Amino acid sequence: MPTKVAYLGPRGTYAEKAAYALVKLDKLSEATLLPCSGIRSVIENVATKHCEAAVVPIENSVEGGVTETLDALWGHPNLFIKSAVVIPIRHALIGSGSLEEISEVLSHPQALAQCSGWLNQNLPNCLQLPTSSTSEAVRMVQGSKFRAAIGSTKAALEINGLSKLAYPINDVQGNCTRFVLLQNNESNQEGDIASFAFSLHSNKPGSLLKALNCIASLGLNMSRIESRPSKRELGEYIFFIDIDLKDKLIDTNKKLKRLLEPLCENIVYFGSYKNEEFEID
Ligand SMILES: O=C(O)C(=O)C[C@]1(C(=O)O)C=C[C@@H](O)C=C1
């Protein structure tokens, strides 16, 4: 069956690279990629069934959770994570002028943050301008001598006249981002990781501890915990959890649900899925 896959465009983003990797990993047949502007639009495309799948960044090793993705997952309980890939992120400064002429640097806010040390040291007086993606930034600096973009070396090759002014410029050498493939049908019950989010019945001493104890009592390793505001009132949170399921029995998920559900006001399961790590190319 043909599969339309939404991702953060235009061409040359890290999300596009992740989308190709996830299509291969998930063996999606006759896949066509649909570039979208903004993570919200990527997710809307799969939530409204305009596309059969979507690829979004969920977590970066330096900057942490991608809040737009976490909020959208909580807001669309019909979406499930089918698989995940971790992609190494190596940023280049791209432009057509010389480094000395640059007065504005454009990129996705995550990329600007991942290079903040380098920017502070090498271009301290430059204005930093946010864009919807790294390759959108590359597109926008075309033809300008005083503007540069932060993006992938692939994005630089897509446009004539642009070259790498500096590479790599990310502050942390092992910088990497996890991307997930979202779908709108049945969730997987098996895989390396299980992800879910919950809100608690009450903001009382020990409420969160009781929920976390359910995970510990089954001997499960929690590989991530992150909170987001509920947006209803100050001090009320939603907790996003990843559980390591490798070598665990298939009914572990069911047991965890039975223990957790009485403690939670709302719980959303994103499914269990396989996770693959990519090497630098
Ligand atoms: O703009 C891109 O190229 C993206 O794929 C988005 C994104 C992100 O949202 O985190 C992905 C990887 C990098 O961490 C920087 C930006």
Side-chain angles (χ1 to χ4, degrees), residues 8-9 12-16 39 57 59-60 66 89 91 107-108 110-111 114 132-136 151-152 175-177 179:
L8 182 65
T13 57
Y14 297 101
E16 183 191 45
I39 291 179
E59 183 185 10
N60 173 262
V66 180
I89 307 289
H91 293 300
S107 200
H108 187 278
Q110 280 268 346
Q114 290 160 24
S132 61
S133 73
T134 54
S135 56
E136 181 62 26
S152 67
N175 186 28
C176 54
T177 299
F179 290 84

Side-chain angles (χ1 to χ4, degrees), residues 194-214:
S195 295
F196 54 92
F198 60 78
S199 57
L200 293 162
H201 277 305
S202 58
N203 186 3
K204 286 202 192 115
S207 313
L208 176 60
L209 187 64
K210 268 192 205 151
L212 298 184
N213 259 334
C214 300

